[in-house]
Amino acid sequence: MRRRDFLQSSLTVGTAALSCTLLPPMSARAADSDRVDVTLEARPYRYPSVTGTNFTGLAYNGRVPGPLLRVRYGQSFRARFINRTGGPSTIHWHGMILPNDMDGVPYVTQPPVPDGGEFIYTYKPGPPGFRWYHSHVGDQEALGLFGAFLVEDPREPRADVEVVLVLHDVPDRDSLWAAVAGNSKAPMDVPPGLSPNGMEAQSAMGGMGGMGGMTRPMKPMPMGDEVRYLSHCLSGAAYPHTRPLIVKVGQTVRLRILNASPTLTHYVRLAGHRLRVTHSDGNLLPRAVTVDALRIGVAERYDAWFEVTRPGAWLLESLMGDVHDRRQSVLIRTADAAGRPPEVPPASLAGAELFTYELAGAGVPLLPGVPEPFGPANVRTTLRLGGGKPGDPHWTIDGKIWPHTPKIDVRHGDRVQIHFTNPTDMDHPMHLHGHVFELVEVSGQRLRDPLPKDTTLVPAGSTATWRFRADSPPGRWVLHCHNVVHMMAGMMSEVDYLRAS
Ligand SMILES: [Cu+2]
C-alpha cells in the first residue's frame, strides 16, 4: 500500500473511531467515492485502564469497539481483513442483506481465515440503517472483535447531533467457557467487602485512574446470567472515563445504541428525558414511540432521539444488577454545566414505561382458537428453544444441537413464518442472517404494526413469531441465539435456499 493510500484509509476509518461517541462528518473521500475501502486487522489487545480492567482480548485496529464504519447507501464497500488473532477468524456483517459468501460464518459461508491469512469482503451495504460487524468464530466477538457500521440514507432527516453508543460487557473468559461447558450453575461469590448495595465498591473505585489492574467480579445479574463480568463499558470506556457529550439548548440529539454484550440484556435510561424511538435494528419503525427507558437485547440496536430544552447535565446509563454501579454511563451536558453534578436516572425501572415489542407494535391479545393471524405463508415452521437444564450444558432447537438442528428449507419467493416457543427460563435474542424479518407476534400478542428487525428476544416461557419473504440472495443463512454462550452450546439452525428445480 502506498503511503498516501494508507493515510487516506486510516483517515476514513480513523477519524470516526477516535471519537467513539460523537459522529463526525464523513470524510470527503468516503463521501464522494463510489467505494469505501477499509482495512480491519484483528489482533490481541490489552484493555486500557479507562475500561476498568486489564483484560487481554482481541480488537480490530487496536481499539474496542472497532472502527466505526460508514458508507452512504448505494456505495460499494471493500474490507481487507487481516487475521492476526492467533487462531481462525471471520467477519460477519450483522443486519446486512448481502451475497451469502460474504456473510462470514465459518464452515457455512466460507472457510475460516487462518491466523496470518487475509480475506477480502466486498459488497454493497444495505439496507440503510444502523448495522454492525463482528467475528463469528468461537468467543472472539465477546473478547472485543466487533464494531458499529452505519449505512447512511441521504434522504433521511439529520439530527443536530448524532452519536453512536456501544454497550459492551467484558467477560471473565474462564466463566464464559465454564458456562459453555456446563459448569455454570455454581453460585457466584459476592466479593469481600462489597455490601449488598455496592457502596463500598463504588468508593473503592473513587480514584479510577489507579484501578488499571482492578478486575472486580460483578454481582449476579437479575436475568439469570451465567457469565461473570470484569467490566461494563460504553463505547470503550467505563464511567467516568466515557467521553462526555456536549450539547446545546435547542438541539435534537439522535442516539444510535448497540448492545454488543456477549450475554446481557440492557436497560438504558437518560435522566430528565424521555426517548423517542424511531428505528429498531436500524429499520424504520411503523411509528415512533416515546418511552422512559429502552430494553435492548443482545445484538439489537435502537435509534433514540431527544431534545435539549434546558441547560443541565444528565447521565445516560445502562442499569445493571447493581444499581449503584454506574459505570456503563455517559455524561450528556450543556457547555455551561461543566462541573455540575449530573442528574441521574432513577435507580429502579419500577413505574418506568419501557420500550417493548408489544408497545411499539401495538400488540393485541390473540384469541385462542383463531387461526391465521399473520397473513399468508406457504412455509410455516415452529422451532422449540430448549436447554439450560442443571448438569446439561446444551442449548438446543427442537432438542438438538448445531449442526444437528432442523433446517428450514425455502425457495426464492416463499413467504415464511417461523414461530418460536421458549419453555426455558431465559430470554433468547434470536438472530437471522441476511434478512430483515417482521416480528408479528410476541408473548401471545399479535402486533398490529409488525416490527422490522434482524434480532428479537424470544421471552422466557413464551413465544414469538417472525414473517419474511425469502427474497435474499441464495445460500445458507444461519439463525441462532446471539447469547454467545448459547450459540456455542448449540442453539443455531439455518434457513437454506433450495435451487429451483
Ligand atoms: Cu439464548
Side-chain angles (χ1 to χ4, degrees):
M1 191 187 268
R2 287 173 300 140
R3 178 175 157 75
R4 184 178 159 275
D5 289 346
F6 176 77
L7 286 174
Q8 285 287 3
S9 75
S10 53
L11 194 72
T12 307
V13 184
T15 9
L18 279 176
S19 50
C20 270
T21 307
L22 194 58
L23 213 55
M26 276 173 88
S27 75
R29 179 173 179 269
D32 297 341
S33 157
D34 290 340
R35 192 175 82 187
V36 173
D37 276 86
V38 302
T39 298
L40 293 171
E41 184 180 75
R43 58 165 67 238
Y45 172 73
R46 172 70 68 98
Y47 280 61
S49 60
V50 292
T51 61
T53 176
N54 63 356
F55 179 72
T56 297
L58 296 169
Y60 292 120
N61 298 9
R63 54 177 81 96
V64 174
L68 171 62
L69 304 180
R70 293 168 76 189
V71 303
R72 198 170 18 80
Y73 182 56
Q75 281 180 313
S76 294
F77 172 74
R78 182 180 183 276
R80 176 180 173 219
F81 171 49
I82 305 170
N83 177 15
R84 301 205 187 285
T85 58
S89 192
T90 61
I91 303 180
H92 167 57
W93 311 92
H94 187 123
M96 301 285 188
I97 298 175
L98 73 185
N100 191 248
D101 59 359
M102 293 289 116
D103 193 45
V105 181
Y107 305 109
V108 175
T109 69
Q110 69 171 107
V113 181
D115 181 46
E118 297 192 14
F119 189 85
I120 303 290
Y121 291 96
T122 182
Y123 58 94
K124 268 199 176 182
F130 186 13
R131 317 285 163 209
W132 64 301
Y133 63 100
H134 58 81
S135 167
H136 219 288
V137 172
D139 66 347
Q140 289 180 345
E141 172 201 348
L143 306 184
L145 287 184
F146 59 86
F149 194 148
L150 289 180
V151 183
E152 298 192 335
D153 185 347
R155 297 164 309 179
E156 233 183 26
R158 288 190 70 97
D160 301 314
V161 180
E162 302 211 343
V163 175
V164 171
L165 301 175
V166 181
L167 301 162
H168 177 230
D169 308 298
V170 185
D172 172 308
R173 204 178 180 196
D174 290 342
S175 78
L176 193 147
W177 281 99
V180 176
N183 301 320
S184 59
K185 298 301 173 186
M188 276 184 285
D189 298 328
V190 176
L194 181 63
S195 71
N197 68 8
M199 288 308 284
E200 278 131 302
Q202 196 180 34
S203 61
M205 288 164 50
M208 295 264 305
M211 59 173 297
M214 182 171 171
T215 55
R216 182 173 69 83
M218 295 301 297
K219 290 205 289 181
M221 297 299 122
M223 54 289 277
D225 190 68
E226 314 109 322
V227 178
R228 230 176 20 239
Y229 283 98
L230 305 174
S231 181
H232 302 278
C233 296
L234 195 153
S235 295
Y239 187 77
H241 298 291
T242 46
R243 205 177 109 157
L245 174 65
I246 314 299
V247 294
K248 295 189 179 110
V249 173
Q251 279 183 328
T252 300
V253 183
R254 178 186 201 168
L255 308 171
R256 304 199 207 225
I257 310 173
L258 158 66
N259 181 359
S261 176
T263 66
L264 298 179
T265 296
H266 282 289
Y267 294 85
V268 173
R269 194 164 190 180
L270 171 60
H273 295 79
R274 280 161 60 86
L275 298 169
R276 186 163 52 88
V277 185
T278 56
H279 296 66
S280 74
D281 302 343
N283 310 305
L284 186 66
L285 288 169
R287 58 193 172 83
V289 287
T290 301
V291 294
D292 296 322
L294 285 169
R295 179 194 64 180
I296 315 181
V298 171
E300 286 190 301
R301 291 89 66 208
Y302 287 103
D303 289 36
W305 304 58
F306 67 93
E307 258 96 68
V308 184
T309 57
R310 61 188 193 281
W314 309 274
L315 215 54
L316 175 134
E317 69 175 7
S318 170
L319 290 176
M320 302 304 304
D322 181 348
V323 296
H324 294 280
D325 191 334
R326 299 188 182 274
R327 290 197 287 174
Q328 205 158 38
S329 306
V330 64
L331 175 65
I332 300 177
R333 65 170 175 82
T334 51
D336 51 358
R340 192 194 290 189
E343 287 178 40
V344 297
S348 138
L349 290 168
E353 187 173 30
L354 268 181
F355 181 95
T356 62
Y357 306 144
E358 296 91 323
L359 176 72
V364 290
L366 282 172
L367 299 174
V370 178
E372 293 295 327
F374 312 126
N378 63 312
V379 175
R380 282 193 183 79
T381 190
T382 294
L383 298 178
R384 183 171 178 276
L385 308 178
K389 298 194 192 80
D392 180 357
H394 295 137
W395 290 91
T396 60
I397 295 177
D398 287 1
K400 305 274 197 334
I401 59 167
W402 171 264
H404 307 292
T405 44
K407 312 295 185 290
I408 301 165
D409 290 334
V410 302
R411 288 191 163 77
H412 191 88
D414 277 346
R415 294 177 181 276
V416 186
Q417 176 181 301
I418 301 176
H419 178 65
F420 294 95
T421 63
N422 176 13
T424 77
D425 60 3
M426 291 184 75
D427 297 349
H428 296 286
M430 300 304 294
H431 167 49
L432 173 62
H433 288 216
H435 294 75
V436 174
F437 56 78
E438 288 183 317
L439 179 68
V440 290
E441 177 269 339
V442 67
S443 300
Q445 293 204 29
R446 179 171 68 87
L447 303 187
R448 284 177 296 175
D449 298 330
L451 306 181
K453 294 183 64 59
D454 57 55
T455 309
T456 61
L457 288 168
V458 180
S462 195
T463 60
T465 307
W466 300 350
R467 183 177 68 188
F468 60 91
R469 179 108 185 203
D471 53 8
S472 289
R476 299 171 62 191
W477 299 105
V478 294
L479 181 172
H480 63 88
C481 182
H482 221 288
N483 177 317
V484 72
V485 171
H486 299 179
M487 183 182 75
M488 288 197 290
M491 196 178 261
M492 181 152 108
S493 176
E494 56 188 88
V495 171
D496 295 338
Y497 281 60
L498 302 173
R499 283 168 194 274
S501 50

